[in-house]
Amino acid sequence: HQNYLSDFNFDASTNEIVCDYSDSGNTYIYKINVDNGQTTSIQSNPAAGRYENWIMSADNRLFTYKDGVTPHQIVEIDKTNGNVINVIADIDHQNYLSDFNFDASTNEIICNYSNNDSTYIYKINVDNGQTTSIQSNPTAGRYENWITKNE
């Protein structure tokens, strides 16, 4: 296909690159086997809203940010059929989350949002759904493109 691929992750359990794309209003999980190059597309559409910012945990669980609904959500997705396994957390504010990473040391999705010219680190524990906001403002400029190091 000629669709733009985004949100690249690696699934060590299947030795696949997992990403996503949209086509004609539908969202797809796209998997590429790094051993043989075989590709698989799996449609994964929410009943409402849209999936964005896909992220893989250290134990190869696939999560996505469900935007366009109230409240926004972090959901776990079944990689074999594209269905929601469960809602991990409801987001308690209306600010758009971005720059998703996974912190294996705390088992949390780490992302950020801006509100009233302030930047916040936003953490979602994938085991219990607990969310934490931490204000993080530089003295000049702004923070973007967060990166975590997994050991």
Side-chain angles (χ1 to χ4, degrees):
H1 62 80
Q2 298 299 313
N3 299 293
Y4 179 79
L5 300 176
S6 62
D7 300 323
F8 285 78
N9 291 275
F10 185 74
D11 185 345
S13 68
T14 60
N15 217 27
E16 293 174 318
I17 296 169
V18 178
C19 53
D20 66 278
Y21 69 91
S22 295
D23 186 23
S24 301
N26 294 311
T27 302
Y28 294 85
I29 299 169
Y30 192 66
K31 301 191 289 184
I32 306 155
N33 185 295
V34 298
D35 294 324
N36 60 24
Q38 180 179 349
T39 63
T40 307
S41 289
I42 301 166
Q43 189 171 340
S44 183
N45 285 336
R50 64 187 167 272
Y51 292 146
E52 299 179 350
N53 299 299
W54 299 74
I55 190 79
M56 187 81 62
S57 69
D59 61 353
N60 301 302
R61 294 164 61 193
L62 183 62
F63 301 94
T64 188
Y65 176 47
K66 188 175 180 183
D67 187 31
V69 294
T70 302
H72 304 293
Q73 297 176 321
I74 300 295
V75 296
E76 182 175 1
I77 299 291
D78 185 319
K79 297 177 290 188
T80 62
N81 61 24
N83 295 332
V84 172
I85 295 173
N86 59 30
V87 175
I88 301 300
D90 290 326
I91 309 305
D92 61 357
H93 57 79
Q94 290 300 309
N95 301 294
Y96 182 78
L97 301 178
S98 63
D99 298 325
F100 283 68
N101 284 280
F102 191 81
D103 184 346
S105 67
T106 61
N107 220 26
E108 293 174 320
I109 295 170
I110 308 290
C111 52
N112 67 54
Y113 68 90
S114 295
N115 188 11
N116 298 325
D117 296 323
S118 295
T119 301
Y120 293 83
I121 298 170
Y122 195 69
K123 303 189 298 183
I124 305 106
N125 184 296
V126 299
D127 292 326
N128 61 24
Q130 181 178 354
T131 62
T132 307
S133 288
I134 303 167
Q135 189 171 353
S136 178
N137 285 334
T139 56
R142 65 176 185 251
Y143 293 137
E144 295 180 344
N145 301 308
W146 303 85
I147 301 167
T148 58
K149 177 185 178 192
N150 292 323
E151 302 277 335

